[in-house]
Amino acid sequence: MPSLMHLVTPTFLFTARAKVWTAAVFLVVIPVFFQAPLVRSLPWLSLTMTGAWLLAGVSLSSRAATHLWGDLIAGFSWTWLAGSLYWGWLRFEPLWHLPVEAIGFPIAIGLLAQGRGRVGSYFFLGSLLGTAVTDLYIYRNGLFPIWRQVMIADPDWVPVIMQQAAAALQNPVSFSQGLLIALGLLTVGILPLQSKQPCWWAFSGAVLSTLIVDLLFLGSAFCLR
């Protein structure tokens, strides 16, 4: 397993694997801070942009020098499509979230079965894993009703509802579950860094950045109290 010092040396930071990891983190953050507000006001524009992402991915994949990045962007296009569909039209029902997020799952598995699209597919699967674990935690702690309230509430009332969510998690069971999930995702995100294959680094970046985003949202909910 690479040492911590090795992972932060200047030369290592410019390797293809490190760049893929960084790009994967960036591509998880984009939907959270850019797509989410866009899709609420202009859902059709967000949905149309899926085609642009996919075309960019396919175009870059056709060239040897940019194949790696095209592969990653093509995988990202499926997460963008899922985000556009769910947050644009189905966000009021949390039970639909995971099925919609998994819309690219058959495509990713099909590409992997053919030995193609490994970087993009691993990125998508890492992102989907993080989403599935987060949704399971929300469901097990009975927060789906609060999810629905946030989706229909006036923006001024969202902080109040988030305070309710934070209060609902103030118990040993929820804390223990959250800690185990965080440690599990951290482990799953770090272990792939032993590999020299960029696809595993894309997977790692997707998993770890999903964990970071979850912790930021959880932290903001508690700070509102």
Side-chain angles (χ1 to χ4, degrees):
M1 183 174 181
S3 66
L4 180 60
M5 184 62 67
H6 176 60
L7 291 177
V8 297
T9 55
T11 54
F12 183 80
L13 293 176
F14 291 99
T15 63
R17 286 172 289 158
K19 290 179 181 179
V20 166
W21 188 90
T22 303
V25 171
F26 181 71
L27 291 176
V28 169
V29 173
I30 281 181
V32 176
F33 296 103
F34 174 70
Q35 186 184 25
L38 172 67
V39 77
R40 281 183 174 243
S41 56
L42 299 169
W44 285 106
L45 175 60
S46 180
L47 185 61
T48 302
M49 288 177 66
T50 302
W53 287 116
L54 184 58
L55 286 174
V58 172
S59 177
L60 291 172
S61 295
S62 65
R63 306 182 184 94
T66 56
H67 175 79
L68 186 67
W69 308 112
D71 189 352
L72 181 60
I73 292 174
F76 167 71
S77 69
W78 304 121
T79 65
W80 184 275
L81 172 62
S84 297
L85 291 173
Y86 181 78
W87 297 109
W89 291 276
L90 302 169
R91 62 181 179 271
F92 304 104
E93 181 45 68
L95 290 173
W96 279 101
H97 185 230
L98 187 57
V100 174
E101 288 290 339
I103 193 170
F105 183 78
I107 298 172
I109 297 301
L111 288 172
L112 290 175
Q114 300 173 33
R116 300 189 296 131
R118 288 172 57 83
V119 173
S121 296
Y122 274 63
F123 167 81
F124 173 82
L125 294 175
S127 178
L128 182 61
L129 173 63
T131 299
V133 171
T134 301
D135 281 15
L136 178 61
Y137 178 74
I138 294 173
Y139 171 74
R140 289 293 300 271
N141 286 278
L143 297 182
F144 275 5
I146 293 179
W147 180 323
R148 296 185 182 99
Q149 291 178 39
V150 170
M151 293 299 107
I152 64 176
D154 184 276
D156 293 337
W157 283 97
V158 170
V160 177
I161 301 173
M162 294 299 290
Q163 290 176 17
Q164 297 175 6
L169 298 176
Q170 291 286 315
N171 63 81
V173 174
S174 296
F175 177 80
S176 299
Q177 290 177 350
L179 182 60
L180 287 174
I181 287 174
L183 291 175
L185 286 178
L186 186 63
T187 302
V188 171
I190 290 177
L191 285 178
L193 299 180
Q194 299 179 82
S195 174
K196 295 183 179 180
Q197 299 182 38
C199 60
W200 281 112
W201 285 66
F203 179 87
S204 168
V207 171
L208 292 178
S209 53
T210 301
L211 173 60
I212 292 171
V213 170
D214 288 345
L215 292 176
L216 287 175
F217 275 106
L218 183 61
S220 66
F222 281 101
C223 288
L224 290 171
R225 300 197 66 195

